[in-house]
Amino acid sequence: MNLVINGQDYHDIPVGITVAGLLDHLELPRKKIAVERNMEIVPKSTFDSAVLSDGDRLEIIHFIGGG
Amino acid sequence: MPKSAEKNINKLVVAGREFESRLIIGTGKYKTYQENADALVASGADMITVAVRRVNLSNPAEPMLVDFIDPKKYTFLPNTAGCFTGEDAVRTLRLAREAGGWDLVKLEVLSDPKHLYPDMEETMRAAKMLIDDGFEVMVYCTDDPVFAKKLEDMGCAAIMPLGAPIGSGLGIQNPLNIQFIVEQSSVPVIVDAGVGTASDAAMAMELGCDGVLMNTAIAAAQDPIRMAEAMKHAVIAGREAFLAGRMDKKHYATPSSPLAKEGMISTPDSP
């Protein structure tokens, strides 16, 4: 299935993947990031159970230096 | 003692949280995260501002800020830099809350990149949205006492007027306005932006501000770590001077030593 992650198109994502599975797939440390799915926050506590759907738009953010 | 001094003499208290230092530092523009972390230690600050951005998906192993500055040890104050509407600000800070798990945030809704002045109309709207969403809002604002009062009445946790444009290092351009804001406010007033060197930070504190927030003054100094330490002392010195209450200014000299002839040594040639 297809996802849009941080504005980029991703194809060939396995159907039924969870947010946690996607983070592993992308090699992202789940403790240091936050995820928004179709404009809604995905609570960290639901990463393991939240199953993604074809066409989902995700934002994955972290903290960087700023004033 | 001025009203603001009675609020809390020893510690900065924002939204019920106590901070040992009255200096808050930004984490932008440092050469490396390590330099940033070293400057933070030298500054003695216990709160830092951070920005929220997309992770770099092409390099997930890239070093992250939290690898160098421990969020368990320091209070991260996520900002809304880059947001130009209330909706963007709320969306950004909801993500920050999920990433960090805290609700104390810095709202800044900027306008023209040339002066980066806060868009106060949009700042007011965003502040209301954030407060309604359960955030404790420390708000970057113009040094206009009228807007400052409106933001306080709305429920903002701290009022953070600019001293001068962001990153300008020009020092406090309108001390009178800062003083008006300090006198009228019952929440902390923190000068945010415009500090260039230690005397600017001391001046903010001498005016009765509860704290100072700075980024470029430290990050862009020739020796950021040394400047961080200078700022630590400046904020303490300015605060102490404010609490001590300065002497009255006079137009003419008053001698520090007795001028009377009596008791002076003299020679036969003395007039």
Side-chain angles (χ1 to χ4, degrees):
Chain A
M1 63 178 186
N2 300 318
L3 298 174
V4 180
I5 309 170
N6 289 356
Q8 292 175 39
D9 291 321
Y10 280 74
H11 307 290
D12 306 321
I13 302 283
V15 173
I17 197 169
T18 61
V19 170
L22 180 70
L23 295 176
D24 289 344
H25 178 72
L26 296 171
E27 297 173 37
L28 290 172
R30 65 161 89 181
K31 279 189 177 165
K32 301 175 191 172
I33 54 96
V35 180
E36 184 195 77
R37 176 194 188 188
N38 303 328
M39 307 283 284
E40 296 285 336
I41 295 289
V42 182
K44 283 188 187 193
S45 57
T46 67
F47 278 3
D48 287 312
S49 57
V51 177
L52 295 169
S53 305
D54 187 47
D56 276 352
R57 300 184 73 87
L58 301 168
E59 292 288 344
I60 306 175
I61 63 87
H62 68 143
F63 292 128
I64 65 157
Chain B
M1 190 179 290
K3 189 181 68 170
S4 57
E6 294 164 7
K7 277 190 286 194
N8 197 299
I9 286 179
N10 298 316
K11 287 180 179 170
L12 173 63
V13 180
V14 183
R17 270 165 265 209
E18 282 189 6
F19 299 93
E20 295 296 325
S21 173
R22 292 179 177 275
L23 174 60
I24 304 169
I25 73 166
T27 56
K29 304 185 202 170
Y30 286 91
K31 288 184 200 78
T32 61
Y33 279 141
Q34 187 57 55
E35 183 185 70
N36 192 340
D38 293 343
L40 175 56
V41 171
S43 76
D46 36 23
M47 181 161 25
I48 57 163
T49 57
V50 295
V52 177
R53 290 293 181 275
R54 287 169 163 172
V55 295
N56 182 0
L57 294 168
S58 59
N59 184 13
E62 197 175 61
M64 289 186 178
L65 177 66
V66 292
D67 299 327
F68 293 85
I69 299 173
D70 186 355
K72 291 193 184 74
K73 208 170 154 199
Y74 295 95
T75 298
F76 278 39
L77 187 66
N79 70 23
T80 57
C83 296
F84 291 87
T85 67
E87 283 75 12
D88 286 350
V90 170
R91 198 177 157 204
T92 299
L93 291 178
R94 278 186 181 156
L95 274 162
R97 179 162 60 186
E98 189 56 29
W102 50 83
D103 53 17
L104 192 62
V105 295
K106 171 180 164 177
L107 172 63
E108 55 176 303
V109 185
L110 306 179
S111 57
D112 187 335
K114 190 172 174 184
H115 50 62
L116 292 177
Y117 252 57
D119 178 335
M120 289 310 296
E121 198 178 357
E122 204 58 30
T123 297
M124 296 279 293
R125 207 169 68 81
K128 171 97 176 54
M129 291 168 74
L130 288 166
I131 291 165
D132 288 346
D133 207 53
F135 287 100
E136 298 283 1
V137 180
M138 300 174 70
V139 58
Y140 174 62
C141 56
T142 54
D143 58 5
D144 178 339
V146 180
F147 270 123
K149 188 79 179 84
K150 287 182 180 179
L151 288 164
E152 180 180 351
D153 290 346
M154 191 189 285
C156 288
I159 305 298
M160 305 206 290
L162 55 83
I166 293 171
S168 69
L170 289 171
I172 296 172
Q173 295 296 296
N174 201 336
L176 185 65
N177 276 21
I178 300 292
Q179 212 161 358
F180 281 148
I181 295 171
V182 165
E183 282 171 14
Q184 75 181 14
S185 301
S186 47
V187 294
V189 176
I190 295 164
V191 162
D192 181 359
V195 166
T197 188
S199 52
D200 300 331
M203 181 183 185
M205 298 309 293
E206 286 170 21
L207 289 170
C209 290
D210 298 276
V212 182
L213 197 167
M214 65 182 73
N215 189 342
T216 315
I218 295 174
Q222 300 297 311
D223 181 344
I225 292 144
R226 194 162 198 162
M227 186 58 89
E229 185 156 5
M231 292 301 185
K232 174 173 80 178
H233 294 304
V235 168
I236 294 169
R239 178 67 180 173
E240 289 298 308
F242 170 69
L243 293 174
R246 61 153 299 148
M247 63 166 280
D248 291 334
K249 288 184 183 177
K250 293 167 191 154
H251 284 291
Y252 299 101
T254 53
S256 298
S257 307
L259 288 189
K261 284 265 184 206
E262 201 178 329
M264 288 292 291
I265 57 168
S266 64
T267 64
D269 297 334
S270 292

